[in-house]
Amino acid sequence: MKIEEKLSTSVINGIKELYGADVPAKMVQLQKTKKEFEGHLTLVVFPFLKVSKKGPEQTAQEIGEYLKQNEPAIAAYNVIKGFLNLTIASDVWIDLLNTIHADAQWGIKQPQADAPLVMIEYSSPNTNKPLHLGHVRNNLLGNALANVMAANGNKVVKTNIVNDRGIHICKSMLAWLKYGNGETPESSGKKGDHLVGDYYVAFDKHYKAEVAELMEKGLSKEEAEAQSPLMQEAREMLRKWEANDPEVRALWKKMNEWVYAGFDATYKMMGVGFDKIYYESDTYLEGKEKVMEGLEKGFFFRKEDGSVWADLTAEGLDHKLLLRGDGTSVYMTQDIGTAKLRFQDYPINKMIYVVGNEQNYHFQVLSILLDKLGFEWGKDLVHFSYGMVELPEGKMKSREGTVVDADDLMEAMIETAKETSNELGKLDGLTQEEADNIARIVGLGALKYFILKVDARKNMTFNPKESIDFNGNTGPFIQYTYARIQSILRKAAEAGIEVPATLAKGIELSAKEEGLIQMLADFTAVVAQAGTDYNPSILANYAYDLVKEYNQFYHDFSILREENEALKVFRLTLSQNVGKVVKLAMGLLGIEVPERM
């Protein structure tokens, strides 16, 4: 039973006995005592003044005295105006630590058979270029969110929709045919996604040169762009693809396979994965079918040029294009098709789309359309909208090849972690293999934590140097504290000191120790809140606050040198559980913690 619940019952009993009144449990407001006052929990007394018919201070005094006499959990109390600050007895904290200690998965709920099924879509790459820094934020958020939803007792399906069709794909294919001389990932030694991305950049370079040449001949920019032979060829290629031309399809398949092999390596390094991948080349026809069905039912209308639209003015929005006049589909059509396939594959209760905030309007419309088309989860779909991520140097553009590539970024982070750790002597005495593994864990941990500690809705600047600092609100600082705890536990084991299954009571604890137990107990509420608010950053900042508190405790109290045997064992148990909860919190964010450092 939670301390709050126990106290709430005692307060209700006290008010009955003192003032002869029955009060509902929701009237009992207990909150954490503010740092500047003595106590653990504070009772707000104002709601009870009607029944006590006395001033706030006297009422608080009387309830405090009642609790001290009748509730063994209360060791002391003090009154500040209308607030009753309660100090919880040491034995109650030891009980609570025993409960946490007994549960290896403290704070994490396992899904029951009838748990709701939450599907989370993230990543959504295009097959004409490698993953970049924006995708890193998307993948890390999607993966963390999936872990958080699962930790709240939901069944979770992680899914990805790959944009594998369209004019942008044809640009890479055409450029490879024209300038590639049969180059392959094997012959060039390049990852397939990087190779294809190079041809996307090459297309843009040649296309710009063509446009400039035509403008020199006196054409306007618009005319030059429309008349560019290269762009006309790319459009022709897309028409052939749509018509199932065997040569174009074979090239498309070959180049996409290069890209998928490259993506898989990036995902593996990043530590993310999917239960089911959908491809736009499969879903766009399904979407067309659904739109035609909506047209027949009168949900949509057709214009003279043959295009199909949805009229959303009744919902306070405008008209939305669903099929172009030539019958080709737009993103919205594909999303409807993907939804149809997913609904056939899974009994979805909630659908979460992890997509940047530039698509806010798109998902507002999608929600209405899916609802009109009869998808039960349509109107409750969640668009987990996140802000842009930039580097200190500014914005990135993939056409111009100025994008920060995800593979290069991860490699650079691992390299920086290696240099920083070497300078600080943190890799001394380790084998090369151990040192490389720690550099990988720290480098990727720094990157993931720096991105995930920021509220997803905000735009952010990723600063590699700042992220790898071993002090401050960073991944390496948290990882280092975890490694320090493991080192203490190893030394204790070498000295033959065991952490017992249950701690004995009767030890006097310091406020710092009680505060740490209170923070560990909070982990269940933090996991729940991160799920309710769809906000992994709550977990990141909790982990930081916890290790900050622990480091102060470590600085102020001796653990292995403590003379009092019972206190020594208590502090070891406390340390072990701080380590456990740090590992669980970081694990939900997709971040590893090293056993030594």
Side-chain angles (χ1 to χ4, degrees), residues 279-533:
Y279 299 91
E280 273 188 16
S281 51
D282 299 328
T283 69
Y284 83 109
L285 292 171
E286 299 279 354
K288 275 185 179 177
E289 214 174 278
K290 266 297 195 200
V291 168
M292 296 317 284
E293 200 181 291
L295 186 64
E296 279 161 38
K297 290 184 177 162
F299 298 151
F300 309 136
F301 68 93
R302 201 189 271 285
K303 286 193 179 173
E304 283 115 53
D305 66 354
S307 57
V308 177
W309 295 71
D311 179 359
L312 303 175
T313 46
E315 282 84 4
L317 304 171
D318 53 11
H319 289 180
K320 183 70 192 165
L321 173 68
L322 299 177
L323 283 176
R324 295 190 188 95
D326 62 4
T328 55
S329 48
V330 293
Y331 272 126
M332 192 62 74
T333 327
Q334 288 153 201
D335 272 341
I336 292 168
T338 312
K340 178 193 163 185
L341 289 181
R342 285 172 175 163
F343 205 61
Q344 282 171 4
D345 293 343
Y346 297 96
I348 300 169
N349 298 100
K350 187 172 275 304
M351 180 75 214
I352 303 175
Y353 293 88
V354 179
V355 181
N357 57 13
E358 71 279 5
Q359 296 290 336
N360 285 354
Y361 178 73
H362 175 91
F363 283 97
Q364 216 180 334
V365 172
L366 180 64
S367 176
I368 296 165
L369 296 179
L370 289 176
D371 188 46
K372 279 188 197 288
L373 292 168
F375 292 98
E376 288 157 41
W377 46 264
K379 67 169 176 294
D380 297 326
L381 74 79
V382 176
H383 172 207
F384 180 88
S385 167
Y386 63 90
M388 304 306 283
V389 56
E390 288 167 11
L391 283 164
E393 295 82 68
K395 280 205 168 78
M396 312 178 289
K397 293 189 181 70
S398 46
R399 277 193 301 276
E400 291 163 21
T402 61
V403 154
V404 177
D405 178 85
D407 295 320
D408 295 347
L409 178 64
M410 289 193 284
E411 210 172 295
M413 290 300 297
I414 293 168
E415 211 31 63
T416 310
K418 198 173 285 181
E419 286 164 18
T420 311
S421 302
N422 269 328
E423 278 166 31
L424 296 171
K426 295 200 187 296
L427 302 177
D428 296 352
L430 298 179
T431 66
Q432 193 55 51
E433 198 180 335
E434 283 174 327
D436 287 349
N437 191 40
I438 287 171
R440 179 189 65 79
I441 291 175
V442 173
L444 294 180
L447 169 66
K448 292 177 182 185
Y449 185 83
F450 199 89
I451 285 178
L452 291 171
K453 74 176 179 179
V454 180
D455 183 337
R457 289 175 283 267
K458 294 182 177 153
N459 288 347
M460 68 168 294
T461 301
F462 173 66
N463 188 326
K465 265 273 167 279
E466 215 177 287
S467 73
I468 213 117
D469 196 345
F470 278 84
N471 295 305
N473 190 358
T474 65
F477 174 67
I478 297 169
Q479 289 171 320
Y480 183 57
T481 305
Y482 176 82
R484 167 183 269 173
I485 291 171
Q486 301 320 300
S487 162
I488 295 166
L489 294 168
R490 281 194 297 274
K491 283 179 187 156
E494 283 159 19
I497 310 162
E498 275 182 40
V499 174
T502 310
L503 286 165
K505 291 184 194 172
I507 313 166
E508 272 309 304
L509 303 181
S510 67
K512 189 57 105 192
E513 289 162 328
E514 291 167 349
L516 271 171
I517 298 172
Q518 197 168 9
M519 281 187 91
L520 292 177
D522 287 345
F523 185 56
T524 49
V526 170
V527 173
Q529 197 195 342
T532 311
D533 299 352

Side-chain angles (χ1 to χ4, degrees), residues 48-91:
F48 311 125
L49 302 185
K50 268 197 182 123
V51 296
S52 72
K53 300 185 174 53
K54 292 173 183 167
E57 299 212 12
Q58 198 183 343
T59 307
Q61 201 67 42
E62 288 175 358
I63 297 173
E65 201 46 50
Y66 171 86
L67 290 174
K68 189 155 186 244
Q69 302 303 327
N70 298 282
E71 175 48 76
I74 298 301
Y77 70 91
N78 64 80
V79 175
I80 310 275
K81 296 184 174 148
F83 297 95
L84 171 61
N85 301 322
L86 301 166
T87 301
I88 313 292
S90 285
D91 278 357

